Amino acid sequence: MRIDVLTVLPGLFDCFLREGIIGKAVSSGKVEVNVVNIRDFATDKHRVVDDVPYGGGPGMVLKPEPIFRAYDHLTAEGEKPFVILTEPWGERFNQEMAVKLSKKNRLMIICGRYEGVDERVKAIVDREVSIGDYVLTGGELPAMVIMDAVIRLVPGVLGNEESLRADSFMDRGLLGYPNYTRPAEFRGMKVPEVLLSGHHKKIELWRKEQSLRKTLERKPELIEKLKREGKLTEEELKILERLEKERESEG
Ligand code: SAM
């Protein structure tokens, strides 16, 4: 996979692309990330990339020309990328979107700054994406959030792909189960007995129950949806029935 990132602050990506799992994915060539300074595509001597908004008002707006020039340059050859523009009002980023994006060969992420980008940039954009209902100073953190979630899904990036299946939102949207590591007892807090038993079937069942319990508590609407769509197994429905009775008796 190749990802082109268009930004006016390329230095922000240095650490992100060097460290941890993302750093390894990049250095091993599993993912190619090309951080492009929009300023390099400005044509005036001061390399200006922003201007005042038409109609007046506060702040500056990213000009269309350098962004289009960068886009034309990067797409002159090869497959056209799927282009994302980071916007607070965009479609809310989630795991389902990350899975879809991880299957693309080429992505481009345009990071807004200041008051945002000139509306005409939308002509080259496939999807406007938001990482939540709050306003950041720029699209660089959203771009890193999107890349982090997408890159770890690229085959071969995680050492143990089994862990992807156990992640929250991956199995029909269900939330993940709690994890413990050594020591078995810490400050009086004990690891659940079943996890020390070495009994794989029982551990699997416990984890399933924990995952359903958490989803029922925090996303009951998802459980209802899965029930309506017949996407829960007999075993899961039985566990849920028991958990629901437990909740009722607890009031
Ligand atoms: N004027 C914009 C508005 O009315 O919402 C806010 C612009 S914001 C200060 C600058 C840039 O940061 C945006 O163009 C966008 O690229 C990025 N940004 C800010 N918050 C974001 C969010 N929640 N999700 C995605 N991008 C965001």
Side-chain angles (χ1 to χ4, degrees), residues 86-89 112-116 129-132 134-139 142:
T86 57
E87 284 289 14
W89 54 70
R113 272 270 145 188
Y114 318 120
E115 287 308 312
V129 177
S130 164
I131 61 161
Y134 41 81
V135 178
L136 301 163
T137 52

Side-chain angles (χ1 to χ4, degrees), residues 31-48:
V31 178
E32 181 189 347
V33 181
N34 185 22
V35 180
V36 175
N37 191 344
I38 296 172
R39 222 170 270 288
D40 292 343
F41 292 86
T43 48
D44 64 301
K45 82 168 186 247
H46 299 294
R47 306 207 300 158
V48 172

